[in-house]
Amino acid sequence: MASLNFQLLMKKIFTILALACMGFACTPGATPPIASQIGESTYTPGKVVWHDLASPDPEASAAFYESVFGWTTVPYGDDDKKVWVFKKDDKPVGLMAYYKTENGSGEWIGAISVPDVSEATSKAKSQGAKIIKKAMNVDDRGSISFIQDPQGASISLIKLANGDPEPSLAEENTFLGQELWSNEPTESASFYASVVGYTAEETDNQKIAYTIFKMGDMNCAGMLKNPAPTVRSHWVPYIRVSNLNETIEKATRAGAKVLVEPSPEIRNGSVALLLDPTGAPVAVQVYNP
């Protein structure tokens, strides 16, 4: 693997990974008290402040994330209205809801903080996005919508009821950030500039063309060219870990596939890409700035 360049590694991923378009996004009927546990009374527009897992097999997903990252899974609601909150050290890190797609794979969907969800969703629609779930108010959570951008990447727009989490370096075994793999980076940059307010900054410290989405001086997300244009664009979540090899070993024992092993060609061997047991892509990275 180390002898392959980044583009070849990514192409290998997408010969394995076949992501279906979302037929149903996480729209919980139950209302777990998320906002009151993570809000800090201020807002950071542009930051990815929440994560939803759309899972075709919540039991398998819960077992995986508990065993690999030490999360606990707390159920809310009953029957078809049931949702689950993932927690790390009793702090919410994500929400899971059951859904089914054509190929039965799962997907993590990040939520970008915006000042007005209805306005941002309308703007997204005017810019060519598909509205999966229009802006809605959810008790104990805030206002949220689910969309697919013009290149097909699933994302949500959110205004948490009590404010966003305070910006800080992610703790180990929690979400470190999001990265957009776009079929059309120029068009994606324009879309998110219009809808969210991002400015796109090219960086020269990568071996491939790489863009950072910024709000003022704040880095919010990354973007790179999707090396497999026949597969829709999508957002990839990163989880910070302390020991990459140990995490990979735990993940494979728990049923994950390793799509990209650590390699000097990719961030000095600090990152790997996994496919969890339901088919949801997730990257794991050792990050010690």
Side-chain angles (χ1 to χ4, degrees), residues 80-100:
D80 61 341
K81 297 295 185 181
K82 194 171 186 178
V83 296
W84 297 260
V85 173
F86 290 122
K87 292 188 174 185
K88 178 69 173 68
D89 298 330
D90 207 38
K91 183 177 180 179
V93 294
L95 181 143
M96 174 172 62
Y98 170 79
Y99 93 119
K100 187 176 182 180

Side-chain angles (χ1 to χ4, degrees), residues 9-285:
L9 284 170
M10 294 301 104
K11 287 180 181 178
K12 182 177 180 181
I13 294 169
F14 283 105
T15 62
I16 302 170
L17 191 61
L19 295 174
C21 291
M22 293 288 291
F24 173 78
C26 301
T27 52
T31 55
I34 293 169
S36 61
Q37 296 183 46
I38 65 173
E40 296 290 344
S41 77
T42 59
Y43 289 92
T44 52
K47 292 289 286 186
V48 177
V49 295
W50 187 247
H51 297 82
D52 289 298
L53 176 60
S55 173
D57 188 342
E59 184 175 345
S61 295
F64 176 78
Y65 290 97
E66 288 172 3
S67 63
V68 178
F69 302 109
W71 296 354
T72 56
T73 312
V74 182
Y76 290 86
D78 299 300
D79 301 325
D80 61 341
K81 297 295 185 181
K82 194 171 186 178
V83 296
W84 297 260
V85 173
F86 290 122
K87 292 188 174 185
K88 178 69 173 68
D89 298 330
D90 207 38
K91 183 177 180 179
V93 294
L95 181 143
M96 174 172 62
Y98 170 79
Y99 93 119
K100 187 176 182 180
T101 55
E102 293 177 2
N103 70 346
S105 64
E107 184 168 0
W108 280 102
I109 305 172
I112 300 173
S113 176
V114 294
D116 187 311
V117 174
S118 293
E119 180 180 328
T121 304
S122 295
K123 191 171 292 184
K125 184 176 181 179
S126 73
Q127 297 295 314
K130 178 180 180 181
I131 309 304
I132 305 300
K133 290 292 179 181
K134 65 182 182 180
M136 55 188 170
N137 292 317
V138 180
D139 292 342
D140 295 321
R141 192 174 189 191
S143 180
I144 188 169
S145 67
F146 291 86
I147 69 171
Q148 280 187 328
D149 73 19
Q151 276 70 53
S154 298
I155 196 72
S156 62
L157 305 170
I158 195 168
K159 184 171 184 180
L160 288 165
N162 293 345
D164 295 332
E166 182 180 355
S168 60
L169 179 62
E171 297 177 3
E172 291 176 359
N173 295 321
T174 66
F175 287 102
L176 179 63
Q178 292 272 138
E179 195 170 72
L180 176 61
W181 293 4
S182 172
N183 289 335
E184 300 291 345
T186 300
E187 285 78 0
S188 291
S190 176
F191 174 81
Y192 288 99
S194 175
V195 174
V196 181
Y198 287 152
T199 56
E201 180 179 287
E202 303 299 321
T203 179
D204 58 5
N205 62 355
Q206 301 282 337
K207 294 183 179 180
I208 61 167
Y210 197 83
T211 299
I212 297 174
F213 286 140
K214 302 175 71 75
M215 293 287 281
D217 295 330
M218 182 173 63
N219 294 343
C220 296
M223 179 176 66
L224 55 84
K225 173 74 173 178
N226 184 350
T230 57
V231 178
R232 69 175 172 90
S233 303
H234 68 284
W235 287 86
V236 177
Y238 279 69
I239 295 177
R240 186 185 182 201
V241 298
S242 59
N243 187 309
L244 195 56
N245 290 331
E246 182 181 290
T247 300
I248 291 170
E249 184 179 347
K250 285 182 180 179
T252 52
R253 284 203 309 264
K257 294 180 181 178
V258 183
L259 299 186
V260 176
E261 298 277 358
S263 165
E265 297 291 325
I266 307 175
R267 294 173 189 168
N268 299 316
S270 66
V271 65
L273 184 66
L274 309 176
L275 203 62
D276 81 10
T278 72
V282 59
V284 290
Q285 183 174 3

